[in-house]
């Protein structure tokens, strides 16, 4: 009889997901993956100099203790002063690396290394030395407590918490249970981790609020309230970036400039509410038709612009014609038409120069009777 053993796969990604959910805050659960990553990057940028400063404080503290031992004002735990100074310099080097490195994984390694060095030389006596161990351990625990409050990613919190637990266990293995008893010692250690998690949670909640407020302010500063399209500021930022990206990738770029014909007459005949309704209809059509490779903006009263990355002059003209036809059919109680100018990118041309040629094509469309699309010629 043959017994067949079935090995169940270890679902590490699933376990990590469950761990992230466990450590996630209610304030972050409504965010999608891209938003959470953007929030994490913003927090990492903000906390990086503070984490570096905390590690540097640890290095300074080690140096001060070494000086105290040198002048014989505090008992030694067995390490020579020169070794403590070298360790302090090592922690300072970790702090400098955290301030300079870009990858968060590399910074985490330095944080763990700096914390380990500080913990060993501050709170792990050599055999036969026991000088003020409780005070030294308490002083050291301030460092991981502060660092845990500043950790952004769940894996960083977990790594730092595990390091604290391992170091606590090593003290017991090397030097036995403290005089206060093992239970109280572990309560002290786990309380440090717990306070660190609580502080990290509240810092995350504050970071989410600040990040959401900043996003709202940026959106308000870059969005036209009436149409939901970009405003001129948003166009200047988004279109310039997309234009440069498309050119660097060797993709064609087209610009379409549109203007609602006789818009003043629409306002005079139907009031500003009627004019606003026409602008909103055009904004809705443009939002629905412009894909992720392009952007659309209201750059003036009744003037709009579209950047199409990946579209040549023919496809951009077809796009403008679809907009013109759809806009004309969308007006229920009034007559409104659209004129447009299209300019395909020429070698060495900036976005501003390309828009100027699209503007000239728009003027030609207006001059030839409106309600039409003109394509700028090659100069």
């Amino acid at each position: 009889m043959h017994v067949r053993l079935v090995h169940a796969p270890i679902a590490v990604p699933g376990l990590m997901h469950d761990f992230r959910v466990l450590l996630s805050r209610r304030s972050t659960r409504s965010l999608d993956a891209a938003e959470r990553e953007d929030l994490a990057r913003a927090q990492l940028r903000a906390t990086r100099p503070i984490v570096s400063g905390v590690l540097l404080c640890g290095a300074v503290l080690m140096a001060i203790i070494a000086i105290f031992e040198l002048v014989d004002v505090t008992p030694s735990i067995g390490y020579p002063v020169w070794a403590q100074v070298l360790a302090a310099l090592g922690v300072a080097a970790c702090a400098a690396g955290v301030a300079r490195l870009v990858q968060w994984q590399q910074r985490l390694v330095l944080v763990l290394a700096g914390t380990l060095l500080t913990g060993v030389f501050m709170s792990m006596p050599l055999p036969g030395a026991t000088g003020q161990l409780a005070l030294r351990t308490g002083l050291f625990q301030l460092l991981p407590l502060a660092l845990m409050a500043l950790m952004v990613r769940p894996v960083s919190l977990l790594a730092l918490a595990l390091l604290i637990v391992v170091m606590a266990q090593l003290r017991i293995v090397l030097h036995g249970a403290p005089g206060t008893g093992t239970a109280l010692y572990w309560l002290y250690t786990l309380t440090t981790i717990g306070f660190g998690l609580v502080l990290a949670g509240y810092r995350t909640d504050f970071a989410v609020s600040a990040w959401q407020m900043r996003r709202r302010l940026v959106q308000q500063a870059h969005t036209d309230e009436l149409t939901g399209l970009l405003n001129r500021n948003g166009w200047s930022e988004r279109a310039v970036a997309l234009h440069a990206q498309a050119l660097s990738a060797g993709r064609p770029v087209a610009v379409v400039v549109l203007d609602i014909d006789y818009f003043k007459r629409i306002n005079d005949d139907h009031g500003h509410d009627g004019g606003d309704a026409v602008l909103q209809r055009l904004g809705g059509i443009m939002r629905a038709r412009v894909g992720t490779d392009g952007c659309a903006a209201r750059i003036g009263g009744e003037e709009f612009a579209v950047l199409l990355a990946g579209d040549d002059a023919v496809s951009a003209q077809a796009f403008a014609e679809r907009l013109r036809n759809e806009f004309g059919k969308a007006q229920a109680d009034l007559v409104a038409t659209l004129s447009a100018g299209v300019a395909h990118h020429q070698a060495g041309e900036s976005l501003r120069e390309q828009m100027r040629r699209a503007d000239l094509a728009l003027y030609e469309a207006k001059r030839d009777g409106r309600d039409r699309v003109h394509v700028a010629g090659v100069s």
Side-chain angles (χ1 to χ4, degrees):
M1 181 188 230
H2 296 283
V3 179
R4 188 176 180 183
L5 297 177
V6 178
H7 298 280
I10 299 174
V12 175
L15 290 175
M16 288 304 297
H17 173 75
D18 293 340
F19 175 71
R20 285 193 294 268
V21 171
L22 180 65
L23 289 184
S24 67
R25 303 285 295 181
R26 183 179 301 176
S27 58
T28 64
R29 290 174 188 170
S30 61
L31 305 178
D32 60 32
E35 290 173 332
R36 283 195 296 270
E37 182 61 24
D38 185 52
L39 171 65
R41 291 181 182 277
Q43 291 182 84
L44 288 169
R45 287 193 299 270
T47 58
R48 182 169 61 177
I50 309 174
V51 171
S52 175
V54 170
L55 283 177
L56 187 60
C57 288
V60 171
L61 197 58
M62 292 171 65
I64 292 174
I65 292 174
I67 294 172
F68 283 177
E69 292 183 10
L70 183 64
V71 298
D72 202 23
V73 297
T74 189
S76 172
I77 59 173
Y79 299 102
V81 171
W82 64 265
Q84 296 181 63
V85 172
L86 285 179
L89 291 174
V91 176
C94 290
V98 168
R100 287 179 171 82
L101 290 176
V102 175
Q103 296 295 325
W104 68 269
Q105 297 93 335
Q106 297 173 346
R107 296 202 301 269
L108 176 59
V109 171
L110 291 181
V111 168
L112 295 176
T115 304
L116 180 61
L117 269 177
T118 308
V120 168
F121 281 87
M122 282 185 63
S123 64
M124 286 190 179
L126 290 176
T130 58
Q132 296 180 334
L133 182 57
L135 288 176
R136 286 173 173 270
T137 302
L139 200 57
F140 160 69
Q141 293 287 69
L142 294 174
L143 179 71
L145 175 63
L147 290 173
M148 285 193 72
L150 294 167
M151 293 296 102
V152 173
R153 298 186 184 273
V155 66
S156 302
L157 278 170
L158 177 62
L160 200 52
L162 286 177
L163 180 62
I164 296 171
V165 171
V166 168
M167 293 179 69
Q169 181 61 29
L170 275 176
R171 291 190 196 99
I172 294 178
V173 170
L174 296 175
H175 303 286
T180 55
T182 304
L184 195 60
Y185 173 73
W186 280 111
L187 177 62
Y188 171 65
T189 301
L190 295 178
T191 299
T192 300
I193 296 174
F195 277 138
L197 291 174
V198 169
L199 292 173
Y202 281 116
R203 182 201 50 74
T204 299
D205 290 343
F206 178 79
V208 171
S209 298
W211 177 80
Q212 289 175 334
M213 181 176 293
R214 180 182 178 277
R215 281 189 48 139
R216 284 195 295 269
L217 291 174
V218 170
Q219 185 175 12
Q220 291 172 2
H222 290 78
T223 305
D224 178 63
E225 184 177 359
L226 185 62
T227 62
L229 301 173
L230 295 172
N231 58 18
R232 183 172 286 276
N233 288 335
W235 171 265
S236 298
E237 182 175 309
R238 178 69 175 156
V240 169
L242 285 177
H243 193 266
Q245 289 172 10
L247 293 183
S248 63
R251 303 174 66 196
V253 185
V255 171
V256 182
V257 178
L258 310 102
D259 189 88
I260 300 175
D261 299 324
Y262 300 114
F263 186 71
K264 184 178 182 303
R265 184 183 301 173
I266 294 174
N267 272 334
D268 292 341
D269 294 344
H270 301 275
H272 288 289
D273 288 343
D276 288 349
V278 170
L279 293 171
Q280 288 171 335
R281 290 190 196 106
L282 180 55
I285 295 170
M286 293 176 71
R287 289 199 310 273
R289 296 293 171 262
V290 177
T292 56
D293 288 338
C295 64
R298 181 187 177 194
I299 58 176
E302 66 271 18
E303 190 173 0
F304 297 78
V306 180
L307 184 139
L308 300 170
D311 287 23
D312 56 20
V314 175
S315 56
Q317 182 180 7
F319 170 85
E321 289 287 2
R322 287 194 300 272
L323 275 186
R324 185 182 66 83
N325 291 328
E326 191 170 347
F327 176 71
K329 294 175 182 178
Q331 313 306 321
D333 53 348
L334 53 83
V335 176
T337 60
L338 199 63
S339 298
V342 179
H344 186 254
H345 182 261
Q346 297 181 4
E349 189 177 44
S350 67
L351 176 60
R352 177 173 294 184
E353 293 166 340
Q354 191 173 352
M355 285 189 68
R356 186 178 298 117
R357 289 196 301 113
D359 270 329
L360 292 175
L362 171 64
Y363 295 148
E364 292 176 3
K366 292 280 190 182
R367 185 188 59 198
D368 290 349
R370 294 179 169 81
D371 191 20
R372 65 196 65 221
V373 176
H374 272 211
V375 179
V378 178
S379 58

